[in-house]
Every structure is written in C-alpha cells, then in structure tokens.
C-alpha cells in the first residue's frame, strides 16, 4: 500500500459513502502535525459556518425590522391622507428617515387624531 495517493479519488468513488471511507483512510495515515492541522481546519470550518449562520440571522432580523418600519410609515401616510392631512416635503422626508419603531408607533397613534402633520409627527 506504500505509495498510494489517497488524495486522488477515482470518479467511480467520488460520492458517498465512498468519499467518507476514503477520508477516514486518509486521516488514519496522518502524522501528529497533519492530524492537528486537520482538526484545526475542521474547527475553522465550523467557526465559518457559525459566523455565516449568525450573519444570516442578523440579516433576517434587520430585514424584519426594516419591514415593520416601512409598514408603519405607510400606515401613517395612509391615515393622514384619509383624514385629509397632507405631509409637506420636509415632513415626508422626516418620516422616511425615521428608523425608530417606538417613534413611528407614537406617530401612528398621533396621526389618528392630529389636525396637522406637524402635530402627528411631534
């Protein structure tokens, strides 16, 4: 078996369960240094997967927050419009720039009874 290169996998064996068995056989021949490097590479791969998973979750949370913000902005505009209260360009820009859910919720509540847009957005 000396001289056999276990890193080259014949095409006929390039799928599971053969690849798993060949990887075990390859790992069994590791020196201590190679084994340590193999373990470190596995840990690094898990760290990368964890980082990707965390980034994905954070991105999803950010997307949900942005969706709630946009929904509140749309509701404020709709309530004011239905009540005949117009937003001027500055007020609309202020509404568009607001990214605080608490403020947007307060503005929506105020839009239900405000006589002016300025009153709704205070």
């Amino acid at each position: 078996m000396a001289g056999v290169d276990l890193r080259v996998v014949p095409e006929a064996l390039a799928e599971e369960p053969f690849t798993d068995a060949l990887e075990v056989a390859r790992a069994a021949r590791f020196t201590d240094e190679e084994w340590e490097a193999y373990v470190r590479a596995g840990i690094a791969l898990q760290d990368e997967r964890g980082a990707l998973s965390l980034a994905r979750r954070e991105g999803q949370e950010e997307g949900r927050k942005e969706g709630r913000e946009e929904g509140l902005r749309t509701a404020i505009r709709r309530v004011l419009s239905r009540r005949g209260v117009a937003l001027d360009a500055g007020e609309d820009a202020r509404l568009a720039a607001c990214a605080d859910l608490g403020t947007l919720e307060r503005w929506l509540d105020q839009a239900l009874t405000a006589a002016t847009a300025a009153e709704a957005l205070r």
Side-chain angles (χ1 to χ4, degrees), residues 8-16 18-19 22:
V8 178
V9 179
E11 190 175 324
L13 302 177
E15 55 188 57
E16 290 185 11
F18 304 112
T19 53
L22 290 169

Side-chain angles (χ1 to χ4, degrees), residues 4-48:
V4 174
D5 187 355
L6 295 175
R7 292 173 295 181
V8 178
V9 179
E11 190 175 324
L13 302 177
E15 55 188 57
E16 290 185 11
F18 304 112
T19 53
D20 293 339
L22 290 169
E23 179 64 16
V24 169
R26 189 174 69 80
R29 296 178 51 152
F30 282 170
T31 65
D32 288 343
E33 293 81 22
E34 290 171 328
W35 183 252
E36 189 175 320
Y38 181 79
V39 169
R40 277 195 311 267
I43 291 170
L45 180 61
Q46 288 300 321
D47 288 348
E48 287 177 20

Side-chain angles (χ1 to χ4, degrees), residues 94 103 106-111 113-122:
R94 184 171 169 222
T103 298
R106 186 181 78 245
W107 287 353
L108 177 58
D109 289 341
Q110 293 169 176
T113 59
T116 66
E119 189 179 318
L121 303 183
R122 67 182 152 86

Side-chain angles (χ1 to χ4, degrees), residues 72-73 75-77 79-80 83 87 90-114 116-122:
L72 285 166
R73 286 187 203 100
I76 293 165
R77 286 183 181 105
V79 165
L80 291 173
R83 297 189 58 247
L87 288 167
E91 291 163 336
D92 193 60
R94 184 171 169 222
L95 176 58
C98 183
D100 181 74
L101 288 171
T103 298
L104 291 167
E105 289 169 349
R106 186 181 78 245
W107 287 353
L108 177 58
D109 289 341
Q110 293 169 176
L112 295 170
T113 59
T116 66
E119 189 179 318
L121 303 183
R122 67 182 152 86

